[in-house]
Amino acid sequence: MKKINDLPQIFVAAIPVLEKLEEAGFEAYFVGGSIRDLLLKRHIHDIDIASSAYPEEVKRLFPKTIDTGIKHGTVTVLYNGSSYEITTFRTESGYQDFRRPDHVTFVRSLKEDLKRRDFTINALAMNTKGEIVDLFNGLDDLHHHLIKAVGDPLERFHEDALRMMRAVRFMSQLQFDLEEQTEEAIRQLHYLLPKISVERIRDEFVKMGTGPNSRKAFAVFLDTELSEGAPDFAGKKDLLAIYPSLKFDPILESSLWAVIIILLKIANNEIGQFMRDWKNSNAMTSKVEKIVDLFDLLSERAPTDYELFEAGKETLLNTIDVAQILGQPINSEALVDRYMALPIKSSSELVIDGRFLIAAGVNPGPKLGELLTDIKKKVIAGELENSREAITAFLGNEF
Ligand SMILES: Nc1ccn([C@@H]2O[C@H](COP(=O)(O)OP(=O)(O)OP(=O)(O)O)[C@@H](O)[C@H]2O)c(=O)n1
Ligand SMILES: [Mg+2]
């Protein structure tokens, strides 16, 4: 049995919780993604505990608990300043709608619990001594960098169609290959993806698209037809087929969306709808709109200083990133130099505002806004110094 000797602190801190369950006669293990990430020496963001204790039994053992998902067997235990999710060993039944089941059956055996998990690398468990329980050859698959369904892949994907997205997400994130029969099952069941909520599809899609091997994973996403069930992707395979041959894998989520929108040749006034179809936030949508706008501009001509100012540093750098991913030649160094040389980089850096103009005798109204913009443009163009004296003199000449 493989044994981990120096457990990271995040596990060590939780051991008393597992011990308390064991002392009461129950089984308790660390399970799921944290064991996979521990063995891959990846960052461990949270740990999950599985136990033979039923939720009520867990609640009786610990003074502070929260009913996180009692129906699904999950209780959160507050212990020593940390919170731990403890989920009762369970098998899920009644998957008629291809989503997470709405009722689960609690079981007392670890094996029953592990065999309904998605992939062998996610079906590992570890006890308090650091000993790894590997009932489905997950260690071997981890070693061979393989995403392989536990047992019959068709069953696993019928249980939860989101797992098909998780497969390509892990391919990208972990830089793993997809086992043949698991891939074949996705090809057969790809049409089930629309049963899953867009939010959950989006979260996996973004993890795939911003992972280190997204181009390779995207090829499988297209080849298995999984893409056909994603929002606004149906019938767009030809356009999306460029993705696997991009110059780089996107790292930023905003770059991912901008690249997709550019590949799909989505018109500027339709970006909002596309982003809403994917249930993206308004903040992400406006960020992406600005990037695509600037990208379109840069593809045609050099921007003016005022256009660079209006785009702002974040959009400029993000657009350069997108151009590099797409392999679009742009002189990024010169653009950044020009931006850095702008006399002001945001409107708040202008030494005057509307109130200053009113005090200087300008009548309030639409003309005032126009005058302020005019002054800003002149300052940015280097035609007017950003000082009260220079601007006062300029006003004197104007009136
Ligand atoms: N559709 C799903 C989602 C989760 N799981 C199981 O529940 C564990 C925890 O799920 P989750 O936290 O969603 O995923 P992780 O594999 O932990 O990946 P991440 O690092 O993104 O949290 C998984 O490892 C897997 O054993 C599953 O079988 N099927
Ligand atoms: Mg997890």
Side-chain angles (χ1 to χ4, degrees):
M1 184 178 268
K2 188 178 172 73
K3 185 171 178 217
I4 310 291
N5 285 316
D6 288 305
L7 284 183
Q9 187 51 35
I10 187 167
F11 290 102
V12 173
I15 286 177
V17 174
L18 280 77
E19 282 174 346
K20 185 144 191 181
L21 286 158
E22 288 179 344
E23 280 158 19
F26 302 106
E27 286 181 46
Y29 295 89
F30 295 108
V31 288
S34 62
I35 309 302
R36 172 197 73 221
D37 291 340
L38 168 70
L39 293 163
L40 289 173
K41 299 190 166 53
R42 286 170 58 86
H43 170 74
I44 296 157
H45 48 89
D46 52 25
I47 55 165
D48 294 309
I49 298 166
S51 172
S52 58
Y54 289 176
E56 290 306 322
E57 295 167 329
V58 174
K59 285 169 70 174
R60 244 175 276 144
L61 281 177
F62 297 92
K64 285 186 194 159
T65 61
I66 304 166
D67 291 2
T68 321
I70 271 268
K71 223 173 56 171
H72 295 102
T74 305
V75 173
T76 300
V77 167
L78 304 177
Y79 174 82
N80 223 348
S82 293
S83 62
Y84 299 101
E85 285 200 348
I86 300 180
T87 304
T88 305
F89 294 158
R90 60 192 186 181
T91 56
E92 301 174 350
S93 43
Y95 288 97
Q96 279 87 343
D97 58 357
F98 309 109
R99 275 179 258 153
R100 281 179 180 163
D102 39 33
H103 75 276
V104 300
T105 311
F106 298 143
V107 291
R108 295 289 191 183
S109 119
L110 175 68
K111 184 173 185 178
E112 288 298 310
D113 179 278
L114 295 179
K115 79 180 202 203
R116 61 91 203 168
R117 290 177 182 265
D118 55 3
F119 305 113
T120 59
I121 59 166
N122 290 342
L124 295 162
M126 183 175 75
N127 65 18
T128 51
K129 297 192 201 102
E131 291 164 343
I132 303 289
V133 180
D134 177 22
L135 303 177
F136 301 97
N137 222 13
L139 286 175
D140 242 14
D141 293 336
L142 207 55
H143 186 73
H144 291 110
H145 290 187
L146 217 52
I147 312 286
K148 181 174 188 258
V150 174
D152 181 354
L154 294 169
E155 279 177 23
R156 295 293 83 74
F157 295 142
H158 260 120
E159 285 165 357
D160 184 352
L162 183 74
R163 289 171 168 169
M164 299 188 286
M165 281 304 298
R166 283 171 57 88
V168 287
R169 181 260 276 209
F170 286 123
M171 272 190 79
S172 173
Q173 234 179 13
L174 307 177
Q175 303 181 262
F176 275 26
D177 293 317
L178 190 56
E179 183 267 338
E180 221 173 286
Q181 275 166 307
T182 307
E183 179 171 342
E184 197 43 47
I186 297 177
R187 197 168 280 113
Q188 265 188 54
L189 300 181
H190 74 269
Y191 65 90
L192 292 176
L193 188 62
K195 306 273 180 198
I196 301 301
S197 78
V198 168
E199 288 86 347
R200 295 176 75 209
I201 296 175
R202 183 205 54 217
D203 288 350
E204 296 300 330
F205 179 76
V206 169
K207 284 179 188 168
M208 173 182 79
T210 57
N213 218 355
S214 76
R215 289 169 295 176
K216 198 169 163 194
F218 210 102
V220 175
F221 174 65
L222 292 174
D223 192 63
T224 54
E225 309 272 307
L226 203 46
S227 59
E228 293 294 312
D232 296 347
F233 282 3
K236 297 285 161 59
K237 236 169 122 170
D238 288 357
L239 295 171
L240 293 170
I242 296 171
Y243 193 103
S245 52
L246 292 171
K247 271 259 185 323
F248 301 98
D249 291 298
I251 294 171
L252 300 171
E253 183 182 345
S254 48
S255 294
L256 168 68
W257 290 118
V259 164
I260 295 287
I261 285 164
I262 292 164
L263 292 184
L264 290 175
K265 301 181 197 294
I266 292 176
N268 249 297
N269 58 358
E270 281 163 8
I271 296 175
Q273 190 56 53
F274 172 83
M275 292 297 279
R276 272 193 297 283
D277 291 345
W278 275 92
K279 302 262 192 278
N280 278 302
S281 69
N282 291 337
M284 182 55 69
T285 302
S286 73
K287 206 171 181 175
V288 170
E289 276 171 339
K290 284 183 196 159
I291 296 166
V292 178
D293 273 352
L294 184 60
F295 179 85
D296 288 346
L297 175 73
L298 294 181
S299 309
E300 272 179 32
R301 59 173 172 81
T304 65
D305 283 351
Y306 189 66
E307 283 165 340
L308 279 178
F309 167 87
E310 282 218 295
K313 189 175 179 179
E314 197 195 334
T315 300
L316 176 62
L317 295 180
N318 215 323
T319 308
I320 289 171
D321 183 50
V322 166
Q324 282 167 346
I325 292 167
L326 288 162
Q328 184 95 342
I330 60 165
N331 194 342
S332 51
E333 242 176 80
L335 282 169
V336 173
D337 285 350
R338 275 183 59 201
Y339 179 84
M340 295 314 285
L342 292 176
I344 58 168
K345 292 175 187 64
S346 86
S347 294
S348 63
E349 286 179 35
L350 198 65
V351 294
I352 62 134
D353 55 13
R355 259 175 302 156
F356 176 91
L357 293 180
I358 292 168
V362 181
N363 291 329
K367 284 265 186 286
L368 181 128
E370 283 169 28
L371 180 61
L372 197 58
T373 304
D374 192 38
I375 292 170
K376 198 160 70 182
K377 283 186 173 171
K378 286 195 156 55
V379 168
I380 292 161
E383 293 163 13
L384 181 59
E385 195 185 305
N386 184 27
S387 72
R388 284 167 178 258
E389 299 74 36
I391 294 169
T392 307
F394 167 76
L395 290 172
N397 294 338
E398 287 288 289
F399 296 101

